[in-house]
Amino acid sequence: MSFREFVQAIRADGQLLTIADEVDPCLEMAALFHGLGERPTLLERVKGSRYPVVAGVCSSRELLALGLGVSRDQVLFVLSEALHTPVPPATATSAPCQEIVEETFDLADLPILTHLPGDGGPYVTAGVAIVKDPELGPNMCFHRLMRLDGRRLSGRLVERRGTHMALQKAGGELDIAICIGCSPAVLLAAAMSPAPGVDELSIANALSPTPLVRCRTVDLQVPAESEFVLEGRITRQMVREGPFLDLTGTMDIVRDQPVIEISCVTHRRDALYQALLPGGQEHKLLMGMPREPTIYREVSKVCDCVNVLLTPGGASWLHGVVQIRKQDPDAGKRAIEAAFRGHTSLKHVLIVDHDIDIYNPSDLEWAIATRVQADRDVVVLTDQPSSSLDPSARHRPGVKSRTAKMGLDATIPWRKPSGAMRTEAERAAFAKIEYSTVELDQYNQERSVHA
Ligand SMILES: Cc1cc2nc3c(=O)[nH]c(=O)nc-3n(C[C@H](O)[C@H](O)[C@H](O)COP(=O)(O)O)c2cc1C
């Protein structure tokens, strides 16, 4: 399903809000999307641009599931399958993204949002960049992009990730194509980090057919159904990039990042521009959901893994919940170690049994309250490799950040404090007792009021 088909599916489902009033992409639009709780919204009239803006379409698991054509609980397994059995994409027979080809253009014509008063400039936030690694082939990755002027952007290229490594191997300059308005399959695949040499476009294509077309001015292939494609080159020139709001909801620092010179803009005739709020639900879900299958895979190697969730309170990146079907006393501890292997940026992980609703924070807390003894069930690891996104970690320029990590085994303890094994009946006593349900409608209910 292409981006516009996705928007149409959300509309058909009655979930798309359309606003016809003119909205200014400079500060007003981001505040409006935030005020609307990031619900899927189409802004038809944009101040200073002829292109409508869509935001909020990836703001819940249910919406992304709709975009993949599966149920919420199937998404983990569908992503896992695509990650491990990619399918090379076909060449497109038509290229909607090249209906209009502009070599004379001004990036100021695009409705690029300025999100907050302190930002370094207007930023593209839903841009998926495609480059070619000289050794490994195509790499696809999100990059936030600050508009510098009518033909130049600066991109945040996180060190040691695909684009950055390809740029280094290429000697400091590299062709790039930036796609805006991508299908849910492309958006989710772009945030994956598969094994070296596995092309994320093939993962996207395994999720949903993603035919490719050759760019007009650079030797790269892009999803033919993108709304916009900005073709250009990453240069050796560096500029100050930022400040900009990060995934954790804190302000990221200003750094020297490369200038990207755009040579050509292609787009659909009636192109839709996609925006997403930095630090918002969409940013978190698109970052976190593609890591859940890698955790699932590692934990499944050491015990029976049922489900995985990177929770929004932990920025869908630093905190995870792993649900297991426990079959031996030590499965919880093994799951902790495996979860950290499955997502190296994970800082805190909670392991729960299959009777816990992992989407319900109160249920998770209940498991901690009734099943954890801190001196037995907490694993603390010191001086571990850290996410660069955690403000509380130790950061040094050019060196991998370091952090402490914690795993909490909140599964039913199979051993008693004495070390003896609990019987099955004793373990069953840890279950939450549910009241029976009644048909409330069969009772005449009256509220009594005391004078
Ligand atoms: C909305 C969004 C914005 C992102 N912005 C950036 C960014 O500015 N720079 C970056 O290097 N990674 C960014 N990422 C993370 C990368 O897309 C992600 O780490 C990706 O898996 C890296 O893949 P690679 O290691 O194959 O290149 C962003 C992810 C999302 C979902």
Short mmCIF file of all heavy atoms in Angstrom, two decimals, residues 2 10 14 50 71 88 92 98 158 167 176 190 193 204 211-212 240 242 268 315 319-320 325 339 350 384 393 423 440:
data_model
loop_
_atom_site.label_atom_id
_atom_site.label_comp_id
_atom_site.label_asym_id
_atom_site.label_seq_id
_atom_site.Cartn_x
_atom_site.Cartn_y
_atom_site.Cartn_z
N SER A 2 0.68 2.12 -1.01
CA SER A 2 1.50 3.34 -1.10
C SER A 2 1.08 4.31 0.02
O SER A 2 0.07 4.10 0.70
CB SER A 2 1.28 4.00 -2.46
OG SER A 2 -0.06 4.46 -2.53
N ILE A 10 -7.02 5.16 5.88
CA ILE A 10 -7.33 5.79 7.18
C ILE A 10 -8.60 6.63 7.06
O ILE A 10 -9.46 6.62 7.94
CB ILE A 10 -6.12 6.63 7.65
CG1 ILE A 10 -4.92 5.72 7.92
CG2 ILE A 10 -6.46 7.43 8.90
CD1 ILE A 10 -3.62 6.46 8.16
N GLY A 14 -12.61 6.20 8.75
CA GLY A 14 -13.21 7.28 9.54
C GLY A 14 -12.24 7.93 10.51
O GLY A 14 -12.66 8.63 11.44
N ARG A 50 2.19 24.94 -2.24
CA ARG A 50 0.98 24.41 -2.90
C ARG A 50 0.70 22.96 -2.50
O ARG A 50 -0.28 22.37 -2.95
CB ARG A 50 1.11 24.53 -4.42
CG ARG A 50 2.24 23.73 -5.04
CD ARG A 50 2.25 23.98 -6.56
NE ARG A 50 3.27 23.23 -7.25
CZ ARG A 50 4.55 23.53 -7.29
NH1 ARG A 50 5.00 24.60 -6.62
NH2 ARG A 50 5.42 22.80 -7.98
N SER A 71 -3.40 -7.52 11.72
CA SER A 71 -3.89 -7.06 13.02
C SER A 71 -2.72 -6.56 13.87
O SER A 71 -1.56 -6.88 13.58
CB SER A 71 -4.61 -8.19 13.75
OG SER A 71 -3.64 -9.14 14.17
N PRO A 88 13.89 -9.39 -3.16
CA PRO A 88 14.35 -8.27 -4.00
C PRO A 88 13.19 -7.63 -4.77
O PRO A 88 12.36 -8.34 -5.34
CB PRO A 88 15.35 -8.92 -4.96
CG PRO A 88 15.77 -10.18 -4.26
CD PRO A 88 14.59 -10.64 -3.45
N ALA A 92 9.94 -0.92 -11.55
CA ALA A 92 8.58 -0.40 -11.76
C ALA A 92 8.27 -0.24 -13.24
O ALA A 92 9.15 0.08 -14.04
CB ALA A 92 8.46 0.95 -11.07
N GLN A 98 7.92 10.33 -10.47
CA GLN A 98 8.61 11.16 -11.48
C GLN A 98 7.62 11.80 -12.45
O GLN A 98 7.99 12.20 -13.55
CB GLN A 98 9.64 10.30 -12.23
CG GLN A 98 10.77 9.87 -11.32
CD GLN A 98 11.80 8.97 -11.99
OE1 GLN A 98 11.55 8.45 -13.08
NE2 GLN A 98 12.94 8.77 -11.33
N VAL A 158 24.06 9.63 11.98
CA VAL A 158 24.59 9.06 13.23
C VAL A 158 25.78 8.14 12.90
O VAL A 158 25.71 7.35 11.96
CB VAL A 158 23.49 8.30 14.00
CG1 VAL A 158 24.07 7.62 15.24
CG2 VAL A 158 22.38 9.25 14.42
N LEU A 167 29.36 6.55 3.54
CA LEU A 167 30.01 7.82 3.20
C LEU A 167 31.52 7.74 3.45
O LEU A 167 32.33 8.18 2.63
CB LEU A 167 29.39 8.94 4.04
CG LEU A 167 29.88 10.36 3.80
CD1 LEU A 167 29.55 10.82 2.39
CD2 LEU A 167 29.25 11.33 4.81
N ILE A 176 22.88 10.60 -2.99
CA ILE A 176 21.80 10.29 -2.05
C ILE A 176 20.45 10.61 -2.70
O ILE A 176 20.38 11.52 -3.54
CB ILE A 176 21.97 11.11 -0.73
CG1 ILE A 176 20.94 10.70 0.33
CG2 ILE A 176 21.93 12.60 -0.98
CD1 ILE A 176 21.24 11.26 1.72
N ALA A 190 12.92 1.14 6.76
CA ALA A 190 14.00 2.13 6.82
C ALA A 190 14.58 2.25 8.22
O ALA A 190 15.73 2.65 8.39
CB ALA A 190 13.48 3.49 6.36
N SER A 193 17.91 -2.22 11.16
CA SER A 193 19.35 -2.36 10.91
C SER A 193 19.63 -3.84 10.68
O SER A 193 20.08 -4.54 11.60
CB SER A 193 20.16 -1.86 12.10
OG SER A 193 20.13 -0.47 12.16
N ALA A 204 11.32 -4.11 2.79
CA ALA A 204 10.07 -3.38 2.49
C ALA A 204 9.24 -4.15 1.48
O ALA A 204 8.03 -4.31 1.62
CB ALA A 204 10.39 -1.98 1.97
N PRO A 211 7.87 -1.64 -5.93
CA PRO A 211 8.65 -1.52 -7.16
C PRO A 211 9.55 -0.29 -7.14
O PRO A 211 9.20 0.74 -6.55
CB PRO A 211 7.58 -1.42 -8.26
CG PRO A 211 6.32 -1.05 -7.55
CD PRO A 211 6.43 -1.53 -6.16
N LEU A 212 10.72 -0.40 -7.78
CA LEU A 212 11.71 0.67 -7.75
C LEU A 212 11.88 1.31 -9.12
O LEU A 212 11.67 0.66 -10.15
CB LEU A 212 13.08 0.11 -7.31
CG LEU A 212 13.14 -0.61 -5.97
CD1 LEU A 212 14.58 -1.02 -5.67
CD2 LEU A 212 12.59 0.27 -4.85
N ARG A 240 26.94 23.68 10.96
CA ARG A 240 26.37 23.42 12.29
C ARG A 240 24.93 22.96 12.11
O ARG A 240 24.12 23.68 11.51
CB ARG A 240 26.41 24.69 13.16
CG ARG A 240 27.81 25.26 13.36
CD ARG A 240 28.73 24.33 14.09
NE ARG A 240 28.52 24.31 15.52
CZ ARG A 240 28.99 23.34 16.31
NH1 ARG A 240 29.65 22.31 15.81
NH2 ARG A 240 28.77 23.39 17.62
N GLY A 242 21.37 21.65 13.91
CA GLY A 242 20.65 21.69 15.18
C GLY A 242 20.55 23.12 15.67
O GLY A 242 20.97 24.03 14.95
N ARG A 268 5.06 13.48 -7.47
CA ARG A 268 3.76 13.22 -8.10
C ARG A 268 3.11 14.56 -8.47
O ARG A 268 3.40 15.58 -7.83
CB ARG A 268 2.85 12.47 -7.12
CG ARG A 268 3.27 11.04 -6.86
CD ARG A 268 2.24 10.44 -5.96
NE ARG A 268 2.53 9.08 -5.57
CZ ARG A 268 1.80 8.01 -5.96
NH1 ARG A 268 0.77 8.17 -6.76
NH2 ARG A 268 2.10 6.81 -5.52
N ALA A 315 10.58 6.01 25.48
CA ALA A 315 10.85 6.55 24.14
C ALA A 315 10.82 5.44 23.08
O ALA A 315 11.39 5.59 22.01
CB ALA A 315 12.18 7.31 24.10
N HIS A 319 13.39 1.30 26.87
CA HIS A 319 12.70 0.38 27.78
C HIS A 319 11.93 -0.69 27.01
O HIS A 319 11.15 -0.36 26.11
CB HIS A 319 11.68 1.13 28.65
CG HIS A 319 12.32 1.91 29.75
ND1 HIS A 319 11.60 2.59 30.69
CD2 HIS A 319 13.62 2.11 30.06
CE1 HIS A 319 12.44 3.17 31.54
NE2 HIS A 319 13.66 2.90 31.17
N GLY A 320 12.11 -1.95 27.42
CA GLY A 320 11.39 -3.02 26.74
C GLY A 320 10.69 -3.94 27.71
O GLY A 320 11.09 -4.07 28.89
N ARG A 325 6.67 -17.62 27.95
CA ARG A 325 5.98 -18.74 28.55
C ARG A 325 7.06 -19.53 29.28
O ARG A 325 7.87 -20.23 28.66
CB ARG A 325 5.33 -19.59 27.46
CG ARG A 325 4.19 -20.47 27.93
CD ARG A 325 3.57 -21.20 26.76
NE ARG A 325 2.98 -20.28 25.79
CZ ARG A 325 1.76 -19.75 25.89
NH1 ARG A 325 0.99 -20.05 26.92
NH2 ARG A 325 1.30 -18.94 24.97
N ALA A 339 17.59 -10.29 25.52
CA ALA A 339 16.94 -9.04 25.08
C ALA A 339 17.99 -7.96 24.84
O ALA A 339 17.91 -7.21 23.86
CB ALA A 339 15.92 -8.59 26.13
N LEU A 350 12.05 -5.55 31.21
CA LEU A 350 11.17 -6.22 32.17
C LEU A 350 10.70 -7.52 31.54
O LEU A 350 10.20 -7.51 30.41
CB LEU A 350 9.98 -5.29 32.45
CG LEU A 350 8.88 -5.82 33.36
CD1 LEU A 350 9.40 -5.99 34.78
CD2 LEU A 350 7.69 -4.84 33.36
N GLN A 384 28.22 -0.56 30.11
CA GLN A 384 27.79 -1.22 28.86
C GLN A 384 27.73 -0.20 27.72
O GLN A 384 27.57 0.99 27.96
CB GLN A 384 26.37 -1.80 29.07
CG GLN A 384 26.29 -2.81 30.17
CD GLN A 384 27.02 -4.08 29.82
OE1 GLN A 384 26.79 -4.68 28.79
NE2 GLN A 384 27.94 -4.49 30.69
N ALA A 393 23.46 8.94 29.95
CA ALA A 393 24.61 8.06 29.72
C ALA A 393 25.89 8.89 29.67
O ALA A 393 25.85 10.13 29.70
CB ALA A 393 24.41 7.31 28.41
N THR A 423 5.86 -26.15 43.79
CA THR A 423 5.04 -27.07 42.99
C THR A 423 4.21 -26.26 42.00
O THR A 423 4.07 -25.03 42.15
CB THR A 423 4.08 -27.86 43.90
OG1 THR A 423 3.19 -26.90 44.50
CG2 THR A 423 4.81 -28.65 44.96
N LEU A 440 -24.74 -6.45 32.95
CA LEU A 440 -25.16 -5.29 33.73
C LEU A 440 -26.55 -4.80 33.32
O LEU A 440 -27.30 -4.26 34.14
CB LEU A 440 -24.13 -4.17 33.58
CG LEU A 440 -22.78 -4.46 34.26
CD1 LEU A 440 -21.80 -3.35 33.96
CD2 LEU A 440 -22.95 -4.61 35.77
#
